[in-house]
Amino acid sequence: MEKRTLGEVSEECRWRLVTHYGPGVASWLDAVPRLMERAAERWKLTLGTYHDAGHASVVVTAGTLDGRPLLLKAWVDPARFYDEVTALRLWAGGPTAGVVEAADDLAVAALEMIGGRPGGGERPPRELPTVAAALQGLHTFGRRRRRLRELPSLTAYLHQEVRPRVRRRLQSVDVGPWQEHVDAALPALVTLEEDSARSTVLHADLYRENVLFDWLGHPRLIDPLPMVGDAVFDWAFWTVYYDLRHGTDARLAAARISRIPMPVLAPWCRALALDGLLFYLDTGDPRAPRMADVLAWLSAPTSRNRS
């Protein structure tokens, strides 16, 4: 096995993780090179270079003795490591990245490298229908769950995080010209109800950068924030966030594969867009106008999205 010593993580990576977790993460970042080297030694891997992406982990390219490319991923939060690895193992054989090795003591895992390169292969022309089919398949795998430990629940997330932060931001954030759309969307957030018949393990973080494509152009969903709850949440998140303000109508149409009625899905979309808009306004994020446009479109009184 080739011996390689990693340097320090990049300043950009350090900035992202410190921004996400706070200055207390600095000592962990200093220890990351040794964590990766220990994992590589344990699993007889060669180390490559840092893959500078993500806000909650550090990723390094690696390879097996026979040349199979992998990614080594180290998590700041051991609970997040456990949840992600648990979900990926539960989805094994489905449209996700495979877990090759995992070390609980290090909170590091060796994952399949999709498409043979960081970031995956080329996106196919019919991207949205293929991703919709993959998400439907992921939910099918999730319904057969046998969890070693209870994953976080969507119910708790809504009651303990989403609704309280929306109420708090409504008191402190100036929504300016978008007040009408905020007022129209608020009832959707208050009245959301889950259907236990659709309960599954959710990906819950379906941004476009978290959907890669393999050699054959098949989508593989990575970097989940898994929860257990109504599949409608994933469909709403995908519709709103996957490519903000681009193709929202096409994703809403592609979501028909889920067989979730539009009067059920649309309020979830509006609720997530409202939460996102208030977050972007509160943090000064330049994406706020784009999210406002999405919320306005979802709030339009048309038969396609009327609750």
Side-chain angles (χ1 to χ4, degrees), residues 79-99:
R80 186 160 176 170
F81 155 81
Y82 183 92
D83 290 343
E84 182 168 336
V85 169
T86 297
L88 291 175
R89 283 174 166 163
L90 181 143
W91 291 323
T96 57
V99 178

Side-chain angles (χ1 to χ4, degrees), residues 254-270:
R256 292 181 185 136
I257 192 176
S258 70
R259 298 187 178 179
I260 297 174
M262 193 60 61
V264 174
L265 176 57
W268 285 82
C269 292
R270 289 196 290 273

Side-chain angles (χ1 to χ4, degrees), residues 165-189:
R165 72 190 180 204
V166 167
R167 287 194 295 268
R168 183 175 67 252
R169 285 171 174 150
L170 284 172
Q171 299 299 316
S172 61
V173 173
D174 179 11
V175 299
W178 303 304
Q179 185 69 57
E180 177 184 356
H181 303 309
V182 169
D183 292 342
L186 191 57
L189 179 67

Side-chain angles (χ1 to χ4, degrees), residues 60-117:
V60 172
T61 61
T64 61
L65 292 177
D66 61 1
R68 180 185 180 189
L70 301 175
L71 292 174
L72 282 186
K73 184 173 182 178
W75 286 258
V76 178
D77 181 357
R80 186 160 176 170
F81 155 81
Y82 183 92
D83 290 343
E84 182 168 336
V85 169
T86 297
L88 291 175
R89 283 174 166 163
L90 181 143
W91 291 323
T96 57
V99 178
V100 179
E101 300 281 1
D104 292 355
D105 59 322
L106 304 177
V108 175
L111 305 175
E112 175 187 9
M113 187 184 293
I114 306 303
R117 65 183 188 185

Side-chain angles (χ1 to χ4, degrees), residues 4-14 26 28-34 36-37 49-52 58-60:
R4 179 181 178 125
T5 301
L6 287 169
E8 296 181 352
V9 300
S10 72
E11 286 302 315
E12 183 178 351
C13 178
R14 182 178 290 270
W28 179 85
L29 286 164
D30 292 338
V32 161
R34 181 56 187 152
M36 295 298 196
E37 289 160 10
T49 59
Y50 289 106
H51 175 50
D52 201 7
V58 176
V59 177
V60 172

Side-chain angles (χ1 to χ4, degrees), residues 66-258:
D66 61 1
R68 180 185 180 189
L70 301 175
L71 292 174
L72 282 186
K73 184 173 182 178
W75 286 258
V76 178
D77 181 357
R80 186 160 176 170
F81 155 81
Y82 183 92
D83 290 343
E84 182 168 336
V85 169
T86 297
L88 291 175
R89 283 174 166 163
L90 181 143
W91 291 323
T96 57
V99 178
V100 179
E101 300 281 1
D104 292 355
D105 59 322
L106 304 177
V108 175
L111 305 175
E112 175 187 9
M113 187 184 293
I114 306 303
R117 65 183 188 185
E122 296 296 325
R123 293 180 179 272
R126 288 177 50 80
E127 178 178 346
L128 294 185
T130 61
V131 174
L135 180 55
Q136 182 75 346
L138 190 80
H139 289 161
T140 299
F141 273 84
R143 291 188 182 98
R144 68 186 191 188
R145 63 189 182 275
R146 296 290 184 272
R147 299 185 301 283
L148 301 176
R149 177 173 71 81
E150 188 73 20
L151 289 169
S153 76
L154 174 59
T155 300
Y157 175 65
L158 290 174
H159 287 301
Q160 298 172 17
E161 295 189 44
V162 177
R163 288 183 175 118
R165 72 190 180 204
V166 167
R167 287 194 295 268
R168 183 175 67 252
R169 285 171 174 150
L170 284 172
Q171 299 299 316
S172 61
V173 173
D174 179 11
V175 299
W178 303 304
Q179 185 69 57
E180 177 184 356
H181 303 309
V182 169
D183 292 342
L186 191 57
L189 179 67
V190 174
T191 59
L192 291 181
E193 291 186 5
E194 293 185 68
D195 185 340
S196 60
R198 292 191 297 261
S199 183
T200 187
V201 176
L202 305 170
H203 183 284
D205 207 31
L206 286 165
Y207 294 98
R208 196 167 187 243
E209 59 264 31
N210 288 342
V211 179
L212 307 183
F213 290 84
D214 63 20
W215 303 100
L216 300 175
H218 297 152
R220 309 285 286 276
L221 282 57
I222 65 166
D223 294 349
L225 282 173
M227 296 187 289
V228 175
D230 192 330
V232 70
F233 178 89
D234 267 353
W235 290 104
F237 193 107
W238 181 63
T239 298
V240 171
Y241 281 99
Y242 185 76
D243 190 7
L244 189 60
R245 203 176 63 179
H246 297 105
T248 310
D249 53 346
R251 289 192 297 279
L252 199 59
R256 292 181 185 136
I257 192 176
S258 70

